[in-house]
Amino acid sequence: MLNVIDRWRCCWAEATGKPQRFAKPLKRMRFLLSPWRNFCVIGCLAFTVPALAQQAATPAKPKSGIEFAGADIRAMQADDFANPGMLWVARGEKLWNVPAGRSNKSCASCHQDASSSMKTVAARYPRIDAATGKVINIETRINGCRERNQAADPLQYESEELLALTAYVAHQSRGMPVAVVADATNRPHLERGREIYYRRQGQMNLACVNCHVQNAGRRLLAETISEGHGNAYPAYRLEWQAIGSLQRRLRACYYGVRAVMPAFGSDELLDLELYLARRATGLAVETPGVRR
């Protein structure tokens, strides 16, 4: 019975990004012993019992989050004039050509036309940086170029400039299938990311898999729980009224289960981001996506 409650709490956290007032740690779930327990149990069973039979495995054919969205969100993402994320793409294009740092070089000084030089990049990242042996995403690569080639200060995570440049670079791969390769160099990080994905954590004692595999496709109020892929990020979320990185969304999930949120750019988030990209193999890059 506690497992049923777990799954209900998981779905609430996913849909709202906030802990539910009754979502206490298991040891404090005394309300189950109250006269209202039958009401609570019936309500939870009506929503979650079918999910108990599902296996915690990655679907053979992943579905993008846009497939779980309403018609209004799908239409907004498909129309470049209506998609608010395109404002950040346009700003990123301007920044691409603006000289920065003591070297007075722009991104275009080295990479020329982004539509050709940056094509496929978002489909292949995150990846292992040959120089450091660490996992890097597009944001890390941009800041590395700024420091090494432009002699400029790195941009802060979630800053308007970094979001714009990341969205612009990723946009060049829109429509291309995600194709992060698993090999000897990144396998330890993939395994670490997978371990994080399946690990229960936080006061709510939940894992990513509890929402995005075991309850994917199920309705919660007006929303449908997605499979949690990152192929649309950076994405414009209506709840943010802004574009945001995948790591911002991941940190919101940590908050939703009352877990300690890793810092932006931490090894934990990078390993998890790598695993999510591998899990999304074959899905089209959608940047900038639109989500509710």
Side-chain angles (χ1 to χ4, degrees):
M1 190 55 62
L2 292 179
N3 193 32
V4 172
I5 302 299
D6 271 359
R7 296 181 189 279
W8 179 78
R9 293 187 338 227
C10 152
C11 297
W12 182 277
E14 162 64 17
T16 66
K18 299 178 181 179
Q20 210 274 348
R21 67 174 64 187
F22 294 120
K24 306 289 186 180
L26 296 183
K27 64 182 180 180
R28 299 175 62 189
M29 303 269 301
R30 299 182 184 275
F31 76 91
L32 285 175
L33 301 178
S34 75
W36 294 94
R37 66 184 180 279
N38 291 335
F39 174 81
C40 296
V41 167
I42 290 171
C44 292
L45 285 175
F47 177 75
T48 60
V49 158
L52 298 177
Q54 297 184 17
Q55 297 297 317
T58 301
K61 186 178 181 181
K63 291 183 179 181
S64 172
I66 198 64
E67 296 187 47
F68 298 90
D72 57 335
I73 300 298
R74 294 198 300 271
M76 186 181 296
Q77 176 173 302
D79 184 348
D80 283 353
F81 289 99
N83 184 338
M86 292 302 297
L87 295 173
W88 278 263
V89 172
R91 183 176 184 184
E93 183 177 14
K94 291 182 179 179
L95 291 172
W96 181 264
N97 295 288
V98 173
R102 294 186 298 278
S103 69
N104 199 37
K105 291 182 179 179
S106 68
C107 301
S109 299
C110 293
H111 301 288
Q112 287 81 47
D113 184 4
S115 63
S116 57
S117 63
M118 295 295 108
K119 198 179 180 80
T120 78
V121 168
R124 295 182 287 109
Y125 274 69
R127 62 184 303 175
I128 298 296
D129 179 35
T132 64
K134 294 183 176 181
V135 177
I136 59 172
N137 55 13
I138 296 176
E139 292 91 335
T140 313
R141 176 63 77 190
I142 289 172
N143 274 332
C145 283
R146 284 180 60 84
E147 292 180 285
R148 288 191 304 270
N149 302 324
Q150 294 178 306
D153 293 331
L155 299 170
Q156 293 295 315
Y157 258 94
E158 301 310 300
S159 66
E160 290 292 311
E161 294 84 359
L162 186 56
L163 285 169
L165 279 169
T166 305
Y168 178 64
V169 170
H171 181 66
Q172 309 312 312
S173 301
R174 187 167 66 168
M176 301 191 67
V178 176
V180 171
V181 177
D183 55 30
T185 59
N186 68 10
R187 196 171 305 280
H189 297 278
L190 277 170
E191 289 300 319
R192 171 62 174 160
R194 185 182 187 280
E195 185 275 325
I196 297 168
Y197 190 84
Y198 281 84
R199 183 185 69 204
R200 286 177 174 265
Q201 56 184 316
Q203 290 182 328
M204 294 178 73
N205 195 35
L206 293 170
C208 308
V209 69
N210 296 139
C211 285
H212 298 297
V213 176
Q214 294 171 346
N215 283 293
R218 301 204 171 275
R219 301 281 295 180
L220 180 64
L221 301 178
E223 298 301 320
T224 303
I225 302 170
S226 75
E227 293 179 1
H229 298 296
N231 57 305
Y233 284 83
Y236 185 94
R237 294 188 67 92
L238 300 188
E239 65 173 314
W240 295 342
Q241 290 293 290
I243 206 169
S245 70
L246 177 58
Q247 292 203 2
R248 179 178 178 181
R249 184 67 187 93
L250 294 176
R251 281 166 50 89
C253 286
Y254 276 83
Y255 173 81
V257 300
R258 296 183 181 177
V260 176
M261 291 189 293
F264 282 110
S266 64
D267 290 342
E268 179 166 339
L269 287 181
L270 287 168
D271 288 346
L272 181 55
E273 195 174 340
L274 175 65
Y275 175 73
L276 291 176
R278 178 62 179 170
R279 184 173 176 266
T281 296
L283 289 179
V285 175
E286 297 174 8
T287 308
V290 177
R291 299 292 185 265
R292 193 171 294 281

